[in-house]
Amino acid sequence: MTHRLTLHSLRRIYEHPATLPLDEADRERVAASCGLVDRIVAKGDAAYGINTGFGLLAQTRIPNEDLETLQRNLLLSHAAGVGDPLPDAVVRLTLALKINSLARGYSGISLAVVDALNQLLTHEVYPLIPSQGSVGASGDLAPLAHMSAVLLGVGKVRHRGHTLSAAQGLQAAGLAPMRLRPKEGLALINGTQVSTALALAGLFAAEDVFAAAMVAGAMSVDALKGSDAPFDDRIHQVRGQPGQIDVAKAYRALLHGSQIRASHLACTRVQDPYSFRCQPQVMGACLDLIRHCARTLVIEANAVTDNPLLFLDSGEVLSGGNFHAEPVAFAADTLALAFAEIGSLSERRVAVLVDPKMSGLPAFLVQNSGLNSGFMIAQVTAAALVSENKTLAAPASVDSIPTSANQEDHVSMATHAARRLHRMADNAAAVIGIELLAAAQGIDFHRPARSSNTLEQIHGVIRNTVAHYDADRYFSPDIETAQSWVSGARFVEPAAHLLPSRAT
């Protein structure tokens, strides 16, 4: 496992059961680091977290005979989280990130503990981790304590859909409750792995939402009988923004060969609304944000973020602050901006399509409007979700509150900054799902003219499941289905080459 985790491998771990075995070089580093801890204890030198208290209690020296109790007490007292459990996929990714960090050999933890974590990962025994209780500095202390307490036989786990006691979970993984050595409890709960796993999950969702929004936006251009001239490469080259250039090229490919476009080349409309015309500018900026966040998060996924750190070449134990999750908090806040803007642009296109004065289509995209309300309230739902996401997009990282008797006087709030991305992703997916349905409806009204081959294939997928809206019907199941297409990456392929974790 000496190689770095890539975004591709991180996405695979998030989406599928995984194992992360250590290679011989990893095992040698971990064993050497653990040996350094033993030498420090034997020598009697004071070293933070090894034979001292924690935080404000760092000046308290702990006798050697109490060092095992110190580490056990640390896990039990810090397992103070509340709220709904984190999803299994996030816990799986958290386990993998913690194993990856410990394998670097700077944490002073034993091979037995790292191997036990990997046994949990391999056997799909996922600790039940409450989602709330971390401020994203001094590490994700509470959630990682819940994860690590399972190694002691304390707490609960999920195993293939069933909730079990920690003791039962250890048995399913072929393990027995462990006794922790000096430094091990601190190495387990210090670190940004929960925040990073949540932010990576948000990144992967942002990529899939972005891809579906590009498809929906291209379909809406044909539904509006809009122009593809704003996607001309020359426009974007003179500005020079890389995401904008890439996105414009993707829109040209999506619309290439559209008969609908060819049918109105001589129309008198001069310009389309910004939500259609400025898609490369807005979506390109969102893509640049997503790519920037991907770079930050893949670095963090391979980082050592506990404290203190052991440096074998000099034999030193250095206390620092790699547990401060500010980079993750900034990345999560940035992804929140992308979610908000992607959804906002999508909803504006829906608003144009349902307005006969703007679109030239039947009012609310249904025949015999008046008797039928069509997409009237679907657009209202999209508007509500967009406004909710605007509120959720307010930055979490600018907030801080002192903890641990003011010893930890500035914190990142990375954990809930990243956790809120999942709600934003669900909201944005519903908005874009509504646009997919609205755009397909608009294209139906232009028959027999056809859209491009790519968009016709997507239109066919939509119509194979959701029929044309010819009269009012119970609408919610259609929207839920369309939302599941977005969340499930059903339409990601046309834009996959743009996405950091999917590009080949």
Side-chain angles (χ1 to χ4, degrees):
M1 200 193 70
T2 302
H3 61 281
R4 286 168 55 87
L5 292 174
T6 65
L7 279 172
H8 293 81
S9 61
L10 290 164
R11 184 184 264 276
R12 283 196 302 273
I13 292 168
Y14 177 66
E15 294 178 343
H16 305 288
T19 187
L20 213 62
L22 276 61
D23 62 21
E24 194 56 38
D26 297 325
R27 302 184 77 81
E28 289 176 2
R29 287 194 306 272
V30 171
S33 181
C34 185
L36 178 55
V37 172
D38 290 342
R39 292 194 296 275
I40 291 169
V41 172
K43 191 175 179 182
D45 292 340
Y48 173 70
I50 296 176
N51 50 19
T52 72
F54 310 102
L56 189 68
L57 306 176
Q59 304 306 316
T60 303
R61 183 68 181 270
I62 308 299
N64 284 6
E65 61 269 22
D66 291 331
L67 295 185
E68 179 186 330
T69 302
L70 174 70
Q71 299 301 315
R72 180 181 177 87
N73 286 351
L74 180 68
L75 296 194
L76 298 180
S77 66
H78 283 50
V82 298
D84 295 333
L86 293 175
D88 286 354
V90 171
V91 176
R92 178 169 57 242
L93 192 51
T94 299
L95 281 168
L97 295 178
K98 178 55 79 173
I99 293 166
N100 191 45
S101 177
L102 297 175
R104 295 278 302 276
Y106 294 94
S107 303
I109 202 163
S110 67
L111 281 166
V113 172
V114 183
D115 287 341
L117 292 174
N118 199 41
Q119 284 291 97
L120 296 179
L121 181 66
T122 300
H123 289 87
E124 302 173 49
V125 176
Y126 303 131
L128 216 63
I129 301 177
S131 57
Q132 295 171 281
S134 174
V135 294
S138 237
D140 293 313
L141 294 172
L144 287 173
H146 282 277
M147 180 194 80
S148 304
V150 167
L151 297 177
L152 308 179
V154 176
K156 295 181 179 180
V157 302
R158 272 197 296 250
H159 180 51
R160 296 173 182 170
H162 300 285
T163 299
L164 308 174
S165 69
Q168 292 171 314
L170 290 176
Q171 187 175 18
L175 298 168
M178 304 189 74
R179 299 174 64 178
L180 297 180
R181 296 161 53 92
K183 176 69 166 65
E184 291 190 324
L186 186 58
L188 285 167
I189 70 169
N190 235 198
T192 64
Q193 286 78 33
V194 172
S195 297
T196 305
L198 284 164
L200 282 165
L203 171 72
F204 302 146
E207 291 180 320
D208 296 344
V209 162
F210 174 89
M214 284 202 59
V215 168
M219 290 183 68
S220 288
V221 170
D222 262 359
L224 184 67
K225 287 192 172 180
S227 174
D228 59 357
F231 309 139
D232 190 301
D233 185 54
R234 292 168 292 182
I235 295 171
H236 309 289
Q237 289 294 340
V238 298
R239 191 178 203 183
Q241 295 288 352
Q244 179 178 326
I245 292 168
D246 291 345
V247 164
K249 181 178 180 180
Y251 277 116
R252 292 195 301 274
L254 283 165
L255 289 161
H256 178 70
S258 168
Q259 294 176 10
I260 296 174
R261 173 59 182 136
S263 72
H264 62 94
L265 287 173
C267 74
T268 58
R269 184 191 299 155
V270 177
Q271 292 182 329
D272 296 324
Y274 288 0
S275 57
F276 292 79
R277 187 182 359 145
C278 298
Q279 289 187 74
Q281 288 79 7
V282 177
M283 294 293 283
C286 291
L287 179 59
D288 285 335
L289 293 184
I290 289 169
R291 287 170 169 172
H292 172 74
C293 294
R295 288 191 293 271
T296 296
L297 294 176
V298 77
I299 291 170
E300 195 72 8
N302 288 282
V304 181
T305 56
D306 59 294
N307 183 64
L309 300 176
L310 285 73
F311 292 87
L312 298 175
D313 54 352
S314 64
E316 290 179 276
V317 180
L318 298 182
S319 186
N322 281 358
F323 50 68
H324 199 297
E326 197 82 345
V328 181
F330 283 173
D333 281 347
T334 302
L335 288 170
L337 296 177
F339 274 122
E341 285 298 276
I342 292 167
S344 179
L345 201 68
S346 175
E347 183 277 328
R348 287 293 81 202
R349 291 190 295 267
V350 174
V352 170
L353 293 181
V354 301
D355 183 348
K357 301 185 299 297
M358 298 287 290
S359 68
L361 295 166
F364 301 107
L365 298 174
V366 68
Q367 298 288 8
N368 201 11
S369 54
L371 176 63
N372 295 306
S373 295
F375 280 69
M376 179 189 293
I377 303 304
Q379 184 269 325
V380 173
T381 295
L385 294 172
V386 164
S387 283
E388 185 175 319
N389 270 2
K390 291 175 189 175
T391 302
L392 290 170
S397 57
V398 298
D399 182 32
S400 182
I401 189 167
T403 61
S404 192
N406 283 307
Q407 176 76 4
E408 298 157 5
D409 60 345
H410 183 278
V411 298
S412 73
M413 300 301 180
T415 321
H416 74 257
R419 191 179 70 246
R420 64 66 143 94
L421 296 176
H422 304 270
R423 183 172 163 193
M424 295 188 75
D426 287 343
N427 290 345
V431 173
I432 293 151
I434 290 168
E435 185 186 3
L436 286 165
L437 297 177
Q441 188 80 356
I443 287 173
D444 288 345
F445 288 123
H446 299 320
R447 296 303 190 213
R450 297 177 64 79
S451 186
S452 68
N453 288 337
T454 299
L455 295 182
E456 283 294 338
Q457 290 174 8
I458 292 166
H459 182 277
V461 171
I462 294 171
R463 284 291 169 255
N464 283 340
T465 307
V466 177
H468 176 78
Y469 197 103
D470 55 357
D472 282 345
R473 61 176 184 248
Y474 187 46
F475 209 163
S476 180
D478 294 352
I479 295 171
E480 290 177 1
T481 297
Q483 181 183 20
S484 73
W485 294 331
V486 179
S487 299
R490 184 69 178 272
F491 300 133
V492 77
E493 185 177 350
H497 63 287
L498 301 175
L499 307 176
S501 78
R502 292 189 180 275
T504 54

PDB file of all heavy atoms in Angstrom, residues 93-118:
ATOM      1  N   LEU A  93     -14.885   4.661   4.044  1.00  0.00           N
ATOM      2  CA  LEU A  93     -13.847   5.565   3.573  1.00  0.00           C
ATOM      3  C   LEU A  93     -13.023   6.106   4.746  1.00  0.00           C
ATOM      4  O   LEU A  93     -11.789   6.246   4.646  1.00  0.00           O
ATOM      5  CB  LEU A  93     -14.488   6.705   2.781  1.00  0.00           C
ATOM      6  CG  LEU A  93     -13.579   7.624   1.965  1.00  0.00           C
ATOM      7  CD1 LEU A  93     -12.637   6.839   1.073  1.00  0.00           C
ATOM      8  CD2 LEU A  93     -14.417   8.594   1.142  1.00  0.00           C
ATOM      9  N   THR A  94     -13.675   6.387   5.865  1.00  0.00           N
ATOM     10  CA  THR A  94     -12.955   6.847   7.057  1.00  0.00           C
ATOM     11  C   THR A  94     -11.950   5.806   7.527  1.00  0.00           C
ATOM     12  O   THR A  94     -10.795   6.124   7.847  1.00  0.00           O
ATOM     13  CB  THR A  94     -13.952   7.165   8.186  1.00  0.00           C
ATOM     14  OG1 THR A  94     -14.841   8.200   7.763  1.00  0.00           O
ATOM     15  CG2 THR A  94     -13.236   7.613   9.444  1.00  0.00           C
ATOM     16  N   LEU A  95     -12.377   4.553   7.596  1.00  0.00           N
ATOM     17  CA  LEU A  95     -11.467   3.471   7.981  1.00  0.00           C
ATOM     18  C   LEU A  95     -10.261   3.411   7.049  1.00  0.00           C
ATOM     19  O   LEU A  95      -9.109   3.296   7.496  1.00  0.00           O
ATOM     20  CB  LEU A  95     -12.197   2.131   7.962  1.00  0.00           C
ATOM     21  CG  LEU A  95     -13.096   1.802   9.157  1.00  0.00           C
ATOM     22  CD1 LEU A  95     -13.973   0.590   8.841  1.00  0.00           C
ATOM     23  CD2 LEU A  95     -12.252   1.513  10.407  1.00  0.00           C
ATOM     24  N   ALA A  96     -10.520   3.496   5.759  1.00  0.00           N
ATOM     25  CA  ALA A  96      -9.431   3.423   4.785  1.00  0.00           C
ATOM     26  C   ALA A  96      -8.469   4.592   4.942  1.00  0.00           C
ATOM     27  O   ALA A  96      -7.236   4.412   4.875  1.00  0.00           O
ATOM     28  CB  ALA A  96     -10.000   3.385   3.365  1.00  0.00           C
ATOM     29  N   LEU A  97      -9.000   5.785   5.166  1.00  0.00           N
ATOM     30  CA  LEU A  97      -8.141   6.953   5.337  1.00  0.00           C
ATOM     31  C   LEU A  97      -7.298   6.837   6.607  1.00  0.00           C
ATOM     32  O   LEU A  97      -6.120   7.228   6.615  1.00  0.00           O
ATOM     33  CB  LEU A  97      -8.988   8.229   5.381  1.00  0.00           C
ATOM     34  CG  LEU A  97      -9.759   8.598   4.107  1.00  0.00           C
ATOM     35  CD1 LEU A  97     -10.572   9.862   4.338  1.00  0.00           C
ATOM     36  CD2 LEU A  97      -8.819   8.777   2.927  1.00  0.00           C
ATOM     37  N   LYS A  98      -7.886   6.326   7.674  1.00  0.00           N
ATOM     38  CA  LYS A  98      -7.125   6.159   8.914  1.00  0.00           C
ATOM     39  C   LYS A  98      -6.022   5.121   8.734  1.00  0.00           C
ATOM     40  O   LYS A  98      -4.873   5.330   9.167  1.00  0.00           O
ATOM     41  CB  LYS A  98      -8.066   5.785  10.060  1.00  0.00           C
ATOM     42  CG  LYS A  98      -7.373   5.543  11.396  1.00  0.00           C
ATOM     43  CD  LYS A  98      -6.517   6.724  11.832  1.00  0.00           C
ATOM     44  CE  LYS A  98      -7.329   7.849  12.429  1.00  0.00           C
ATOM     45  NZ  LYS A  98      -6.441   8.911  13.003  1.00  0.00           N
ATOM     46  N   ILE A  99      -6.325   4.008   8.097  1.00  0.00           N
ATOM     47  CA  ILE A  99      -5.300   2.992   7.823  1.00  0.00           C
ATOM     48  C   ILE A  99      -4.180   3.593   6.980  1.00  0.00           C
ATOM     49  O   ILE A  99      -2.992   3.401   7.253  1.00  0.00           O
ATOM     50  CB  ILE A  99      -5.931   1.780   7.105  1.00  0.00           C
ATOM     51  CG1 ILE A  99      -6.899   1.039   8.035  1.00  0.00           C
ATOM     52  CG2 ILE A  99      -4.851   0.823   6.599  1.00  0.00           C
ATOM     53  CD1 ILE A  99      -7.806   0.060   7.320  1.00  0.00           C
ATOM     54  N   ASN A 100      -4.563   4.330   5.951  1.00  0.00           N
ATOM     55  CA  ASN A 100      -3.582   4.935   5.057  1.00  0.00           C
ATOM     56  C   ASN A 100      -2.660   5.896   5.800  1.00  0.00           C
ATOM     57  O   ASN A 100      -1.444   5.924   5.578  1.00  0.00           O
ATOM     58  CB  ASN A 100      -4.309   5.667   3.932  1.00  0.00           C
ATOM     59  CG  ASN A 100      -3.387   6.107   2.819  1.00  0.00           C
ATOM     60  OD1 ASN A 100      -2.533   5.345   2.358  1.00  0.00           O
ATOM     61  ND2 ASN A 100      -3.549   7.334   2.360  1.00  0.00           N
ATOM     62  N   SER A 101      -3.227   6.684   6.698  1.00  0.00           N
ATOM     63  CA  SER A 101      -2.424   7.631   7.466  1.00  0.00           C
ATOM     64  C   SER A 101      -1.482   6.915   8.424  1.00  0.00           C
ATOM     65  O   SER A 101      -0.286   7.237   8.501  1.00  0.00           O
ATOM     66  CB  SER A 101      -3.352   8.579   8.239  1.00  0.00           C
ATOM     67  OG  SER A 101      -2.618   9.470   9.042  1.00  0.00           O
ATOM     68  N   LEU A 102      -1.999   5.943   9.157  1.00  0.00           N
ATOM     69  CA  LEU A 102      -1.168   5.225  10.125  1.00  0.00           C
ATOM     70  C   LEU A 102      -0.046   4.456   9.452  1.00  0.00           C
ATOM     71  O   LEU A 102       1.041   4.284  10.014  1.00  0.00           O
ATOM     72  CB  LEU A 102      -2.041   4.276  10.954  1.00  0.00           C
ATOM     73  CG  LEU A 102      -3.111   4.941  11.825  1.00  0.00           C
ATOM     74  CD1 LEU A 102      -3.977   3.879  12.491  1.00  0.00           C
ATOM     75  CD2 LEU A 102      -2.483   5.855  12.874  1.00  0.00           C
ATOM     76  N   ALA A 103      -0.289   3.990   8.228  1.00  0.00           N
ATOM     77  CA  ALA A 103       0.711   3.212   7.502  1.00  0.00           C
ATOM     78  C   ALA A 103       1.923   4.040   7.094  1.00  0.00           C
ATOM     79  O   ALA A 103       2.960   3.474   6.721  1.00  0.00           O
ATOM     80  CB  ALA A 103       0.092   2.576   6.255  1.00  0.00           C
ATOM     81  N   ARG A 104       1.815   5.356   7.181  1.00  0.00           N
ATOM     82  CA  ARG A 104       2.956   6.207   6.847  1.00  0.00           C
ATOM     83  C   ARG A 104       4.088   6.067   7.882  1.00  0.00           C
ATOM     84  O   ARG A 104       5.238   6.423   7.595  1.00  0.00           O
ATOM     85  CB  ARG A 104       2.513   7.670   6.755  1.00  0.00           C
ATOM     86  CG  ARG A 104       1.525   7.981   5.630  1.00  0.00           C
ATOM     87  CD  ARG A 104       2.210   8.170   4.301  1.00  0.00           C
ATOM     88  NE  ARG A 104       3.195   9.234   4.343  1.00  0.00           N
ATOM     89  CZ  ARG A 104       2.925  10.541   4.179  1.00  0.00           C
ATOM     90  NH1 ARG A 104       1.656  10.924   3.977  1.00  0.00           N
ATOM     91  NH2 ARG A 104       3.880  11.450   4.208  1.00  0.00           N
ATOM     92  N   GLY A 105       3.756   5.594   9.089  1.00  0.00           N
ATOM     93  CA  GLY A 105       4.793   5.325  10.071  1.00  0.00           C
ATOM     94  C   GLY A 105       5.240   6.511  10.899  1.00  0.00           C
ATOM     95  O   GLY A 105       6.367   6.525  11.394  1.00  0.00           O
ATOM     96  N   TYR A 106       4.365   7.481  11.100  1.00  0.00           N
ATOM     97  CA  TYR A 106       4.698   8.635  11.936  1.00  0.00           C
ATOM     98  C   TYR A 106       3.878   8.687  13.220  1.00  0.00           C
ATOM     99  O   TYR A 106       3.980   9.660  13.974  1.00  0.00           O
ATOM    100  CB  TYR A 106       4.468   9.931  11.157  1.00  0.00           C
ATOM    101  CG  TYR A 106       5.384  10.116   9.979  1.00  0.00           C
ATOM    102  CD1 TYR A 106       4.999   9.712   8.710  1.00  0.00           C
ATOM    103  CD2 TYR A 106       6.643  10.696  10.134  1.00  0.00           C
ATOM    104  CE1 TYR A 106       5.841   9.874   7.612  1.00  0.00           C
ATOM    105  CE2 TYR A 106       7.494  10.871   9.052  1.00  0.00           C
ATOM    106  CZ  TYR A 106       7.085  10.448   7.794  1.00  0.00           C
ATOM    107  OH  TYR A 106       7.924  10.608   6.720  1.00  0.00           O
ATOM    108  N   SER A 107       3.070   7.665  13.478  1.00  0.00           N
ATOM    109  CA  SER A 107       2.058   7.770  14.529  1.00  0.00           C
ATOM    110  C   SER A 107       2.354   6.944  15.761  1.00  0.00           C
ATOM    111  O   SER A 107       1.673   7.087  16.776  1.00  0.00           O
ATOM    112  CB  SER A 107       0.677   7.372  13.968  1.00  0.00           C
ATOM    113  OG  SER A 107       0.352   8.180  12.855  1.00  0.00           O
ATOM    114  N   GLY A 108       3.341   6.055  15.721  1.00  0.00           N
ATOM    115  CA  GLY A 108       3.719   5.291  16.901  1.00  0.00           C
ATOM    116  C   GLY A 108       2.716   4.233  17.302  1.00  0.00           C
ATOM    117  O   GLY A 108       2.645   3.847  18.468  1.00  0.00           O
ATOM    118  N   ILE A 109       1.974   3.730  16.350  1.00  0.00           N
ATOM    119  CA  ILE A 109       0.930   2.750  16.641  1.00  0.00           C
ATOM    120  C   ILE A 109       1.413   1.368  16.232  1.00  0.00           C
ATOM    121  O   ILE A 109       2.266   1.228  15.344  1.00  0.00           O
ATOM    122  CB  ILE A 109      -0.372   3.143  15.908  1.00  0.00           C
ATOM    123  CG1 ILE A 109      -1.604   2.500  16.564  1.00  0.00           C
ATOM    124  CG2 ILE A 109      -0.280   2.819  14.421  1.00  0.00           C
ATOM    125  CD1 ILE A 109      -2.898   3.166  16.150  1.00  0.00           C
ATOM    126  N   SER A 110       0.896   0.332  16.843  1.00  0.00           N
ATOM    127  CA  SER A 110       1.376  -1.019  16.564  1.00  0.00           C
ATOM    128  C   SER A 110       0.742  -1.592  15.304  1.00  0.00           C
ATOM    129  O   SER A 110      -0.349  -1.186  14.886  1.00  0.00           O
ATOM    130  CB  SER A 110       1.067  -1.949  17.749  1.00  0.00           C
ATOM    131  OG  SER A 110      -0.332  -2.134  17.873  1.00  0.00           O
ATOM    132  N   LEU A 111       1.430  -2.558  14.720  1.00  0.00           N
ATOM    133  CA  LEU A 111       0.881  -3.254  13.557  1.00  0.00           C
ATOM    134  C   LEU A 111      -0.430  -3.948  13.896  1.00  0.00           C
ATOM    135  O   LEU A 111      -1.326  -4.045  13.050  1.00  0.00           O
ATOM    136  CB  LEU A 111       1.892  -4.277  13.034  1.00  0.00           C
ATOM    137  CG  LEU A 111       3.033  -3.714  12.191  1.00  0.00           C
ATOM    138  CD1 LEU A 111       4.136  -4.755  12.025  1.00  0.00           C
ATOM    139  CD2 LEU A 111       2.510  -3.271  10.826  1.00  0.00           C
ATOM    140  N   ALA A 112      -0.550  -4.419  15.120  1.00  0.00           N
ATOM    141  CA  ALA A 112      -1.766  -5.135  15.510  1.00  0.00           C
ATOM    142  C   ALA A 112      -2.997  -4.251  15.366  1.00  0.00           C
ATOM    143  O   ALA A 112      -4.057  -4.709  14.901  1.00  0.00           O
ATOM    144  CB  ALA A 112      -1.636  -5.644  16.942  1.00  0.00           C
ATOM    145  N   VAL A 113      -2.893  -2.985  15.740  1.00  0.00           N
ATOM    146  CA  VAL A 113      -4.037  -2.075  15.639  1.00  0.00           C
ATOM    147  C   VAL A 113      -4.347  -1.761  14.178  1.00  0.00           C
ATOM    148  O   VAL A 113      -5.513  -1.767  13.763  1.00  0.00           O
ATOM    149  CB  VAL A 113      -3.769  -0.785  16.426  1.00  0.00           C
ATOM    150  CG1 VAL A 113      -4.870   0.238  16.171  1.00  0.00           C
ATOM    151  CG2 VAL A 113      -3.682  -1.088  17.912  1.00  0.00           C
ATOM    152  N   VAL A 114      -3.334  -1.494  13.380  1.00  0.00           N
ATOM    153  CA  VAL A 114      -3.571  -1.194  11.961  1.00  0.00           C
ATOM    154  C   VAL A 114      -4.185  -2.406  11.274  1.00  0.00           C
ATOM    155  O   VAL A 114      -5.129  -2.277  10.479  1.00  0.00           O
ATOM    156  CB  VAL A 114      -2.268  -0.769  11.265  1.00  0.00           C
ATOM    157  CG1 VAL A 114      -2.555  -0.385   9.813  1.00  0.00           C
ATOM    158  CG2 VAL A 114      -1.610   0.386  11.995  1.00  0.00           C
ATOM    159  N   ASP A 115      -3.673  -3.596  11.583  1.00  0.00           N
ATOM    160  CA  ASP A 115      -4.239  -4.818  10.995  1.00  0.00           C
ATOM    161  C   ASP A 115      -5.685  -5.023  11.439  1.00  0.00           C
ATOM    162  O   ASP A 115      -6.532  -5.481  10.657  1.00  0.00           O
ATOM    163  CB  ASP A 115      -3.400  -6.032  11.388  1.00  0.00           C
ATOM    164  CG  ASP A 115      -2.067  -6.089  10.655  1.00  0.00           C
ATOM    165  OD1 ASP A 115      -1.932  -5.418   9.603  1.00  0.00           O
ATOM    166  OD2 ASP A 115      -1.162  -6.796  11.130  1.00  0.00           O
ATOM    167  N   ALA A 116      -5.992  -4.685  12.686  1.00  0.00           N
ATOM    168  CA  ALA A 116      -7.371  -4.834  13.170  1.00  0.00           C
ATOM    169  C   ALA A 116      -8.315  -3.895  12.425  1.00  0.00           C
ATOM    170  O   ALA A 116      -9.435  -4.293  12.048  1.00  0.00           O
ATOM    171  CB  ALA A 116      -7.424  -4.564  14.673  1.00  0.00           C
ATOM    172  N   LEU A 117      -7.888  -2.653  12.201  1.00  0.00           N
ATOM    173  CA  LEU A 117      -8.710  -1.732  11.407  1.00  0.00           C
ATOM    174  C   LEU A 117      -8.958  -2.293  10.011  1.00  0.00           C
ATOM    175  O   LEU A 117     -10.060  -2.184   9.467  1.00  0.00           O
ATOM    176  CB  LEU A 117      -8.036  -0.361  11.321  1.00  0.00           C
ATOM    177  CG  LEU A 117      -7.953   0.465  12.603  1.00  0.00           C
ATOM    178  CD1 LEU A 117      -7.124   1.727  12.374  1.00  0.00           C
ATOM    179  CD2 LEU A 117      -9.349   0.845  13.104  1.00  0.00           C
ATOM    180  N   ASN A 118      -7.929  -2.889   9.437  1.00  0.00           N
ATOM    181  CA  ASN A 118      -8.091  -3.450   8.097  1.00  0.00           C
ATOM    182  C   ASN A 118      -9.004  -4.674   8.106  1.00  0.00           C
ATOM    183  O   ASN A 118      -9.710  -4.933   7.123  1.00  0.00           O
ATOM    184  CB  ASN A 118      -6.735  -3.797   7.497  1.00  0.00           C
ATOM    185  CG  ASN A 118      -6.821  -3.936   5.983  1.00  0.00           C
ATOM    186  OD1 ASN A 118      -7.494  -3.164   5.308  1.00  0.00           O
ATOM    187  ND2 ASN A 118      -6.162  -4.949   5.449  1.00  0.00           N
TER     188      ASN A 118
END
